[in-house]
Amino acid sequence: MNNEELIRRDLSVVWHPCTQMKDHETLPLVPIRRGEGVWLEDFDGNRYIDAVSSWWVNIFGHANPYINDRIKAQLDSLEHVILAGFSHEPAVRLAERLKDITPEGLTRCFYADNGSAAVEVALKMSFHYWHNRGRGQKTRFINLSNSYHGETLGALAVGDVDLYKKTYEPLLLKPLTVPSPDCFAREAGQSWEAHSRAMFAHMEQALAEHADETCAVIVEPLIQCAGNMRMYHPVYLELLREACDRYGVHLIADEIAVGFGRAGTLFACEQAGISPDFMCLSKGLTAGYLPLSVTLTTEDVYDAFYDEYENLSAFLHSHSYTGNPLACAAALATLDLFEQEDTVARNRALATTMAESVAHLADHPHVGEIRQTGMVLAIELVADKAGMTPFAWQERRGLAVYRHALTREALLRPLGNVVYFMPPYVITPEQIKHLAAVATEGIERAVST
Ligand SMILES: *Cc1c(COP(=O)(O)O)cnc(C)c1O
């Protein structure tokens, strides 16, 4: 088997996610034969550093020996069992540990099998909570502009990235969309904190006008990842928590991308010192091994559903693979590694290396901004720096960086005109410097036409 043969077979049967398949007439598909640590290797023996953690899921590298062992051990005793009426130790143990490490007050774990499903669960639970409490007029959600919460219809509806959403608009719930505290939009010289604080006025107003009909506010804490890695200050979350309490509206924290150390703390909400009413986790939960998600919530929410069966107030949502034992074993192994290796503390040095590695790009005429929160670093390319004018999206400048990176042992998949590093935490300082060199070359090529 070589690359060419697998590509030919692939393109005659597989329909790839998030892809205009016609692109592959000119853009090479990369078939991967094996992975080890940060490395991916194709069928012709070319290697690539996985700088995007295979869509933000990988944490401890590919084929991590410890996680492999834990999954193999689980496989020999129980691969799967129905989680309604039955239970198993990995699901119980994982819920116990998540309760202990997540913000105070999140005591109940509802499992599903992907991030979008975790968001659907949070939306339905919040609505249903108010319904069970006699507040059935609460039917709407408040979200932020440029947000992303997944691709299923409910999750898509509470997102705000046109590229993914616009076509399906006629099918979707209508949220109340409030301008994002995104600090790329701040005035020159304004601090992140001052900008995020000022932007809260829009949220305050939306809550003041619509709290009676609103179930919950849903946000991605600190980083709008799919929305081009736009970032904001924790003060916004502090203000939001206080306002949600004041107006009697739930707060849903979608930490699917930013959880498990990505934002520099185990969970991003920690940086604001807040506890949401619902927290959605997936992606890094299994270190990129198996699909699993969890929606954590409070005793207050749990109690609103706890009643005689005949009152029909139970939460009857389910997915076939809910709480899969193999996936739970991968998640437990992931939490073991966080504890054993003190990952969050060790990442601080890597985050500093990431910042230093690209510092030379700060004054580049086509780099509008370099921003970073924890283990996510983003470089925003602009056509004109003075006016922060974006490149026309049709020019697909980021794609030129991607193409160049593939020739230089790196998988750097940009979001539009934003080049970013979101690597597995097992990356070395030397590998980060290599990524920075490749990104610099790629950016030169991308802007020089
Ligand atoms: C990826 C992502 C989702 C969706 O998760 P899937 O597992 O891809 O369905 C939801 N919210 C955020 C913030 C994400 O980054």
Side-chain angles (χ1 to χ4, degrees), residues 56 114-117 119 148-151 220 225-226 254 256-257 282-283:
W56 321 342
N114 66 77
S116 303
V119 170
Y148 180 86
H149 298 289
E151 298 291 344
E220 295 156 274
C225 291
D254 174 354
I256 291 165
S282 188
K283 293 204 166 106

Side-chain angles (χ1 to χ4, degrees), residues 203-212 247:
M203 181 63 80
E204 179 73 38
Q205 192 188 346
L207 284 165
E209 288 171 10
H210 299 285
D212 282 351
Y247 286 107

Side-chain angles (χ1 to χ4, degrees), residues 39-339:
W39 292 103
L40 296 167
E41 188 183 311
D42 70 18
F43 282 76
D44 291 349
N46 303 304
R47 302 195 310 162
Y48 312 89
I49 295 178
D50 189 353
V52 299
S53 296
S54 284
W55 256 347
W56 321 342
V57 298
N58 193 288
I59 289 187
F60 294 113
H62 295 277
N64 181 287
Y66 180 76
I67 304 174
N68 287 4
D69 282 349
R70 303 312 306 154
I71 295 172
K72 285 176 193 165
Q74 180 59 41
L75 187 57
D76 283 333
S77 58
L78 179 67
E79 83 302 337
H80 187 65
V81 64
I82 178 173
L83 199 65
F86 282 65
S87 189
H88 56 86
E89 205 202 341
V92 176
R93 186 77 196 107
L94 181 59
E96 288 169 347
R97 288 178 75 176
L98 288 173
K99 173 184 163 186
D100 285 348
I101 63 174
T102 51
E104 190 75 32
L106 296 170
T107 53
R108 297 283 168 176
C109 290
F110 191 96
Y111 289 109
D113 50 17
N114 66 77
S116 303
V119 170
E120 301 284 345
V121 166
L123 300 175
K124 284 176 68 178
M125 253 185 202
S126 175
F127 164 78
H128 200 159
Y129 168 94
W130 295 115
H131 171 91
N132 285 354
R133 290 271 193 246
R135 303 286 303 278
Q137 81 283 10
K138 282 181 176 279
T139 56
R140 300 193 73 181
F141 296 92
I142 296 178
N143 67 348
L144 295 177
S145 61
N146 190 46
S147 57
Y148 180 86
H149 298 289
E151 298 291 344
T152 54
L153 293 179
L156 192 63
V158 293
D160 184 53
V161 178
D162 270 357
L163 182 62
Y164 309 126
K165 178 172 180 179
K166 207 167 179 177
T167 311
Y168 306 100
E169 203 79 66
L171 306 181
L172 302 176
L173 292 172
K174 305 272 175 271
L176 291 154
T177 303
V178 168
S180 166
D182 167 16
C183 289
F184 185 61
R186 73 195 187 281
E187 305 282 321
Q190 197 181 22
S191 71
W192 281 32
E193 180 171 356
H195 177 74
S196 297
R197 189 182 283 281
M199 291 304 286
F200 192 76
H202 299 284
M203 181 63 80
E204 179 73 38
Q205 192 188 346
L207 284 165
E209 288 171 10
H210 299 285
D212 282 351
E213 51 171 326
T214 300
C215 302
V217 176
I218 182 167
V219 297
E220 295 156 274
L222 304 187
I223 316 176
Q224 297 188 308
C225 291
N228 293 346
M229 301 296 172
R230 295 294 178 83
M231 300 174 183
Y232 60 90
H233 192 275
V235 71
Y236 193 87
L237 298 173
E238 271 176 60
L239 296 169
L240 181 58
R241 174 68 279 178
E242 185 277 323
C244 284
D245 285 342
R246 188 156 33 89
Y247 286 107
V249 166
H250 287 142
L251 173 55
I252 303 172
D254 174 354
E255 293 227 11
I256 291 165
V258 295
F260 298 98
R262 273 300 163 197
T265 41
L266 192 53
F267 299 103
C269 282
E270 293 170 24
Q271 295 181 41
I274 63 149
S275 294
D277 300 288
F278 298 90
M279 180 182 263
C280 303
L281 301 174
S282 188
K283 293 204 166 106
L285 174 61
T286 63
Y289 265 72
L290 287 162
L292 180 70
S293 64
V294 57
T295 305
L296 289 125
T297 190
T298 61
E299 282 312 283
D300 178 42
V301 169
Y302 182 78
D303 286 345
F305 293 79
Y306 198 90
D307 200 355
E308 303 305 329
Y309 184 81
E310 292 70 23
N311 291 336
L312 294 178
S313 55
F315 190 62
L316 300 182
H317 186 104
S318 68
H319 295 285
S320 310
Y321 284 101
T322 290
N324 174 264
L326 296 170
C328 289
L332 288 167
T334 302
L335 297 185
D336 289 346
L337 289 176
F338 267 101
E339 281 173 17

Side-chain angles (χ1 to χ4, degrees), residues 366 391 395 397 400 443-449:
H366 290 290
F391 282 115
E395 295 170 8
R397 303 273 173 168
I443 288 168
E444 285 307 340
R445 281 165 196 246
V447 300
S448 69
T449 46

